[in-house]
Amino acid sequence: MAVTDQAAASPVRGASAAPLRRPMRLFRNLSAKIATLPMILTATVIFVGCTGWTVVHSFTSSRLLPRLDFVGLDQYDRLWSTPKWYVAIQNLAVFGVLSLIFSLVIGFVLAALLDRKVRGEDVFRTIFLYPFALSFVVTGLVWQWLLNPELGIQGVVRDLGWTSFTFDPLYNRDLVIYGLLIAALWQGTGLVMCIMLAGLRSVDDEIWKAARVDGIPTWKTYTHVIIPMMRPVFVTALVLIASGIVKVYDLVVAMTQGGPGGASEVPAKYVMDAMFGAQNLGQGFAASTMMLLSVVIILIPWAYLEFGGRRRG
Amino acid sequence: MDGPRGPRPRRILSRGNIMLYGTLIVVAIYYLLPLWVMVMTSLKGMPEIRMGNIFAPPVEITFEPWVKAWAEACTGLNCDGLSRGFWNSVRILVPSVALSIAVASVSGYALSMWRFRGSETFFAILLIGAFIPYQVMLYPIVILLREIGLYGSLWGLVIVHTIFGMPINTLLFRNWFAAIPEELFKAARVDGAGFWGIFLRVLVPMSLPIFTVSAIIQVTGIWNDFLFGVVYTTPANYPMTVQLNNIVNSVQGVKEYNVNMAATLLTGLVPLIVYFASGKLFVRGIAAGAVKG
């Protein structure tokens, strides 16, 4: 951290005339330091401090109030022997893998379709992206209504004469996570499409021309040339979706409240219930530390790929 | 017209085009369906909803659900409708957006033009921090807010929104200011402008687009927030999203789907208006956020 670098201590631009040594190093460039104080406090106190605080307290027996009496890994033992936590982790895994695959595929296909010099591209893009402006609460409530068994989609199809038609994911323990998935994909694929579209637009036209001259079919150009070229875009989208998935909370609360019978629990909701519902702070801290761990597991390979190769570049 | 020169005329109704537009239109209908159902349901009476098809337009249009959602719907605590949540959200939104943009723009400015030892380190921590699940930091922030006496108040929530809006918005401003020509900065320095002078008199007037993008991100983000609203405010100050959830998912009484959908639409209206009014700027905002997570 303590790099003895004179240049780093002076304003980057225009201040080369400033004397190299001044008595009080701390007060140099003072306005900038004061102005960035909120940022510095956020980075240190909130992001580092509060995270560290939670991790430390996850090793304590805190219940109603945080207390510093350490009990080792007891909270984690209890966490991993709680069925509700298993359900939550399982749901997150299923939901996570499926929403990654589907949003990448759907997002890319929609972007590729829009990239075919479509008339009214703006209209289509506006339609595909508008759900992203809506909150998870609104999304969850709309889909809760659409998936209502008596009056929603199932009811409509049954009224049409297909009386045995069943589509009530929100009332089926095994299917509820797919109900959430439908709503989440409706809300989020527009964003992925936009990222992909930006990536496709950055592909040089010459590549398309060359592929056409060589007589390569369009779909093959996509799978063999364009997609490999767009690897960084895919990775960005992946990280973005993945870090969003871990946070899934409002959608579940609005759509199913964790039901039916706790079948749609997710880790974020487990944490909230433990901390603010059951007054079981230690469990909440342990569970949220596990969430942090999963993000770290996602991020480290990405950061390594992204920044490890070209340090100081 | 059918001369041998020029590119081959493209047939509008080729098989490929029918497939292309067919797919796009089907997908567009799928994306629009929930909005359509929301609007239609909110304009029907309850008897019609029980009888009919959720996709069908209302036989008899009624605005009563909207009135009821706004002024009379019950949350389990009180029965004065969503209007309370709406005004709470406005009172949260305005200071949060103003404060977060002010802090982020100044930080971005300092980070791009007045770097000091360690500034890049703090910025890196800030960006990494954006990936930490909020649940990890929720409780310690409760303690901090309680210490300074703001827990449960609107201003506590404003601070929380400012904190969590900081990574993305600081990044946005930093990249914007970094692209401004160096000569401008030097000229202002020669003219004797200091840190604040350059920022307020030179940079802010020429940075309207980025302030707009940042405002769009913050307005939609803060309006749509649910988690912080639940954790950091008391029921009297609940924002609209929280109140909406309490109205729709309240277990008491008969479910009035038309009122629920009117309430849902009302809550979604502000971000939708921002979205449709801002057009390309919205896309630019999320693209800027996505370029470097």
Side-chain angles (χ1 to χ4, degrees):
Chain A
M1 247 39 43
V3 190
T4 38
D5 182 2
Q6 279 290 341
S10 65
V12 179
R13 299 160 171 191
S16 46
L20 274 174
R21 259 185 197 290
R22 276 199 212 158
M24 291 299 271
R25 191 178 241 172
L26 189 66
F27 295 121
R28 198 183 307 165
N29 200 356
L30 191 62
S31 306
K33 285 175 188 168
I34 294 172
T36 45
L37 203 60
M39 186 202 85
I40 294 173
L41 285 178
T42 299
T44 53
V45 176
I46 306 294
F47 289 161
V48 176
C50 289
T51 304
W53 190 95
T54 297
V55 174
V56 167
H57 279 78
S58 72
F59 299 106
T60 68
S61 65
S62 310
R63 284 196 66 86
L64 185 60
L65 291 169
R67 283 188 309 163
L68 267 180
D69 74 89
F70 291 97
V71 290
L73 290 170
D74 276 13
Q75 296 288 5
Y76 293 92
D77 279 344
R78 202 172 311 150
L79 183 69
W80 286 103
S81 55
T82 310
K84 192 178 152 191
W85 175 252
Y86 269 105
V87 175
I89 288 288
Q90 228 166 41
N91 279 339
L92 189 70
V94 173
F95 180 86
V97 170
L98 291 179
S99 68
L100 265 180
I101 294 171
F102 279 110
S103 49
L104 284 179
V105 170
I106 297 172
F108 181 79
V109 170
L110 287 181
L113 290 177
L114 281 189
D115 198 39
R116 306 261 78 201
K117 298 185 179 66
V118 168
R119 268 165 210 252
E121 184 200 315
D122 282 355
V123 177
F124 283 117
R125 207 197 46 222
T126 308
I127 293 172
F128 297 155
L129 189 60
Y130 90 90
F132 186 68
L134 294 171
S135 58
F136 277 123
V137 176
V138 168
T139 306
L141 295 178
V142 176
W143 281 95
Q144 188 190 56
W145 171 229
L146 280 164
L147 298 176
N148 183 306
E150 287 123 54
L151 302 168
I153 296 170
Q154 177 178 294
V156 171
V157 176
R158 283 187 181 177
D159 281 349
L160 289 176
W162 184 2
T163 47
S164 62
F165 177 79
T166 314
F167 185 62
D168 59 344
L170 299 191
Y171 294 85
N172 184 327
R173 293 185 57 93
D174 300 325
L175 297 180
V176 64
I177 200 70
Y178 303 99
L180 289 169
L181 185 70
I182 293 173
L185 287 177
W186 176 77
Q187 204 259 1
T189 36
L191 169 72
V192 183
M193 178 204 70
C194 266
I195 299 169
M196 296 289 179
L197 195 56
L200 284 172
R201 288 282 145 84
S202 66
V203 170
D204 199 340
D205 249 5
E206 296 301 313
I207 288 167
W208 280 108
K209 276 183 198 154
R212 209 166 305 140
V213 168
D214 289 348
I216 304 169
T218 310
W219 66 269
K220 223 172 182 176
T221 316
Y222 273 118
T223 54
H224 285 68
V225 184
I226 306 293
I227 292 179
M229 276 179 71
M230 279 176 52
R231 211 192 58 121
V233 181
F234 272 91
V235 173
T236 308
L238 198 108
V239 169
L240 221 66
I241 306 165
S243 64
I245 289 167
V246 181
K247 294 176 183 169
V248 170
Y249 170 70
D250 338 9
L251 186 69
V252 178
V253 170
M255 214 166 156
T256 66
Q257 297 96 54
S264 59
E265 287 292 339
V266 285
K269 188 167 174 296
Y270 185 95
V271 173
M272 295 295 288
D273 290 349
M275 282 202 289
F276 299 100
Q279 314 288 7
N280 196 347
L281 287 177
Q283 271 296 288
F285 296 149
S288 57
T289 305
M290 294 310 301
M291 286 175 70
L292 180 66
L293 196 66
S294 60
V295 172
V296 170
I297 290 170
I298 298 168
L299 278 186
I300 283 185
W302 171 69
Y304 186 76
L305 283 174
E306 191 87 331
F307 307 112
R310 45 181 170 86
R311 273 196 82 68
R312 307 256 155 255
Chain B
M1 248 172 77
D2 282 295
R5 280 175 297 141
R8 197 162 55 146
R10 293 215 333 192
R11 280 173 54 210
I12 301 199
L13 281 177
S14 69
R15 235 175 50 156
N17 265 353
I18 293 175
M19 290 267 285
L20 176 64
Y21 284 95
T23 316
L24 283 173
I25 289 168
V26 168
V27 178
I29 290 172
Y30 172 76
Y31 273 84
L32 283 174
L33 216 53
L35 187 64
W36 166 264
V37 169
M38 253 197 286
V39 177
M40 290 309 127
T41 307
S42 74
L43 295 174
K44 290 177 189 170
M46 266 319 279
E48 202 188 323
I49 290 177
R50 279 197 209 94
M51 305 263 301
N53 175 326
I54 53 166
F55 301 111
V59 180
E60 219 177 306
I61 292 180
T62 165
F63 291 99
E64 208 174 310
W66 285 74
V67 176
K68 196 164 180 200
W70 177 254
E72 293 159 37
C74 294
T75 58
L77 288 164
N78 48 49
C79 281
D80 45 11
L82 262 182
S83 53
R84 176 196 287 261
F86 175 84
W87 292 114
N88 282 342
S89 274
V90 171
R91 285 190 296 148
I92 295 163
L93 185 76
V94 173
S96 302
V97 172
L99 188 64
S100 59
I101 291 180
V103 169
S105 60
V106 171
S107 307
Y109 163 61
L111 284 171
S112 60
M113 296 188 173
W114 299 83
R115 276 181 222 169
F116 51 87
R117 179 202 291 249
S119 64
E120 288 297 289
T121 311
F122 291 124
F123 183 58
I125 297 173
L126 194 75
L127 286 188
I128 295 167
F131 288 102
I132 303 174
Y134 297 138
Q135 274 77 12
V136 177
M137 296 170 283
L138 282 180
Y139 198 84
I141 295 176
V142 169
I143 297 177
L144 288 175
L145 287 177
R146 202 183 279 145
E147 289 295 315
I148 56 175
L150 289 177
Y151 180 57
S153 72
L154 281 183
W155 281 101
L157 188 54
V158 169
I159 292 175
V160 171
H161 280 308
T162 306
I163 288 171
F164 288 109
M166 216 181 282
I168 170 73
N169 288 289
T170 306
L171 175 71
L172 211 61
F173 280 105
R174 176 181 171 271
N175 291 351
W176 171 270
F177 290 134
I180 284 175
E182 200 177 339
E183 286 70 32
L184 205 73
F185 181 83
K186 278 184 179 158
R189 288 282 285 172
V190 171
D191 286 346
F195 182 86
W196 295 105
I198 295 175
F199 180 65
L200 293 173
R201 272 184 256 126
V202 182
L203 294 178
V204 171
M206 60 183 288
S207 304
L208 193 65
I210 203 68
F211 276 96
T212 316
V213 169
S214 173
I216 292 167
I217 294 178
Q218 287 303 88
V219 169
T220 48
I222 293 169
W223 192 272
N224 287 342
D225 160 67
F226 176 83
L227 182 65
F228 299 141
V230 174
V231 175
Y232 298 112
T233 56
T234 48
N237 286 329
Y238 273 165
M240 203 170 183
T241 45
V242 180
Q243 219 195 358
L244 169 73
N245 185 50
N246 289 349
I247 288 175
V248 177
N249 285 323
S250 105
V251 280
Q252 315 160 341
V254 187
K255 287 246 177 199
E256 291 182 287
Y257 298 110
N258 50 358
V259 176
N260 289 350
M261 283 302 110
T264 309
L265 257 180
L266 276 170
T267 311
L269 220 49
V270 169
L272 277 184
I273 290 171
V274 170
Y275 172 69
F276 286 115
S278 62
K280 284 225 161 86
L281 278 176
F282 185 91
V283 178
R284 217 177 117 187
I286 61 166
V291 167
K292 212 177 160 197

